[in-house]
Structure formats: structure tokens, C-alpha cells
Amino acid sequence: LGVRSIGVEGDVSDPAHVQALFDRAVAELGSVDILANVAGGVLRPAERGRADTMDLDDYRFIMDINLTGTILCSQAAVAVMKKKRWGRIVSLSSQAGVKGGTFAVHYAIAKAGVAHFTRCLAAEVGPHGITVNCLAPAFVNTSRALAQFPERRKLAAEIPLRRLGEPEDVAKAVEFFVTDLGDYVTGQCLAVCGGVVLSPT
């Protein structure tokens, strides 16, 4: 695409890895203007995620990759952004974090935490010219999600827009938040879900 990029492998739940990532980004690219917290997922068996019998190791892992990573990366980004008094942070929450249910409760708790952390951080860093928002997608048509949950293909008929979301649908919402289109929007959690948020269950 004609832009310069670097790849850094690491663990977003490890403070040392996160700091090394941001140190390298600043050293090689000059600054950090935009942070998109997109690491995470339901990467443990969902059936072990019931509220009354939740596996503790699964819970800690899911919280780390979805919530702790978001917090650590956001803190590292803010430290850089404050120096130039400008920055944009967008994180991925989920409809699972908005609506109650029995599916992968550890994941739902983590994503609810992402949304609340977003609001708290936005209040703190707004005076520094930094906006912080998050997205709450529902059923997005990704290869990993379809491999893990093949039944997802059948859900389109239950979504008001009658289709699964595409990665581009989420990307467009991220673009809104990180460009001048979203300059006066902060502390928000936007449902990018085709209307799933309208469902009572």
C-alpha cells in the first residue's frame, strides 16, 4: 500500500512486551498517533465459560488477552500521546459485553470491562487532546470465528440487516473514530452489529 510498517511479535498481557513494542514504534516511526486494541477473542472452549462453573485458568487467560492487554497498550500509548497532546484510541468490546447470556461468560465480562475502561480513560485523557472509544461488534464473518463457531453462518436470518458483519464494517467504524470525522466523540461504545443490539435476548 506504499506505507512503511513494522511487525513486532509479543504478548499484550505482558507489560515488558508492551513497553518494548511502543519503544520500538517510537524509535522507528517517530510517534504513536493511533492505537487500535484488537487482540483477543474466545480462545478457550466456550462451554467452559459458564458463570456458575467457570474454569479459573480459562478466566484468567481470557481476561488477560481481552482486557489486560487493552489496558496495558492504552497506558503505553497515552504516555506517548500526552507529549504531543493528541491521540486516538479505539478498542474492541463486543455485544457479548453488552447483553447478558450463558455463552462464554468470561469473554463477556472482559468485553464489558473494555467498554467501562474506555469511558474511564476517556474522562482522564480528554484534557490532553486524546479521544478514547470502543466498538461492540456482534457476529463478524472472520475465518477464525467461522472455524471456531460454524453455526454462526445460520445466524444471518436472525439479524435485522439479514447478514453477518464483515471485517470492513468494523474497519469503517474505526476509521470514523480515528479521523477528523470523530474529533468531538469520546467515551463511546458503538454497536456495529447489524441490529443485533435490538434483540431482547
Side-chain angles (χ1 to χ4, degrees):
L1 298 176
V3 296
R4 185 164 174 238
S5 64
I6 59 173
V8 181
E9 184 176 349
D11 179 352
V12 294
S13 69
D14 184 321
H17 284 210
V18 170
Q19 192 58 55
L21 162 65
F22 281 83
D23 287 346
R24 184 171 170 193
V26 171
E28 295 196 26
L29 302 175
S31 183
V32 175
D33 301 307
I34 297 168
L35 170 67
N37 288 305
V38 298
V42 188
L43 302 183
R44 291 291 170 88
E47 61 273 14
R48 295 206 310 245
R50 290 183 57 85
D52 58 348
T53 58
M54 196 181 307
D55 180 90
L56 187 57
D57 287 338
D58 286 357
Y59 166 80
R60 287 173 173 153
F61 175 76
I62 293 296
M63 291 295 285
D64 273 351
I65 65 171
N66 289 283
L67 178 57
T68 305
T70 294
I71 293 171
L72 293 177
C73 289
S74 296
Q75 290 173 335
V78 163
V80 179
M81 293 171 176
K82 278 184 176 180
K83 295 175 182 177
K84 59 189 306 182
R85 299 191 60 80
W86 195 92
R88 300 290 180 260
I89 298 174
V90 183
S91 303
L92 283 189
S93 179
S94 169
Q95 281 301 302
V98 176
K99 301 156 70 75
T102 60
F103 173 80
V105 174
H106 39 29
Y107 175 75
I109 294 168
K111 290 305 190 181
V114 169
H116 197 64
F117 176 73
T118 293
R119 291 186 284 269
C120 294
L121 185 61
E124 291 181 9
V125 302
H128 299 278
I130 303 167
T131 66
V132 188
N133 294 285
C134 70
L135 308 176
F139 307 111
V140 180
N141 185 22
T142 66
S143 57
R144 188 180 78 185
L146 292 177
Q148 190 175 8
F149 307 110
E151 67 277 9
R152 176 171 288 194
R153 292 183 176 88
K154 301 177 183 177
L155 295 174
E158 302 173 21
I159 298 172
L161 288 184
R162 296 298 189 266
R163 68 175 179 87
L164 298 180
E166 296 296 334
E168 291 78 7
D169 294 317
V170 179
K172 290 172 185 175
V174 172
E175 181 181 9
F176 167 77
F177 281 129
V178 304
T179 63
D180 58 352
L181 296 173
D183 275 351
Y184 200 58
V185 181
T186 195
Q188 302 304 305
C189 187
L190 175 65
V192 184
C193 64
V196 169
V197 71
L198 303 173
S199 171
T201 57

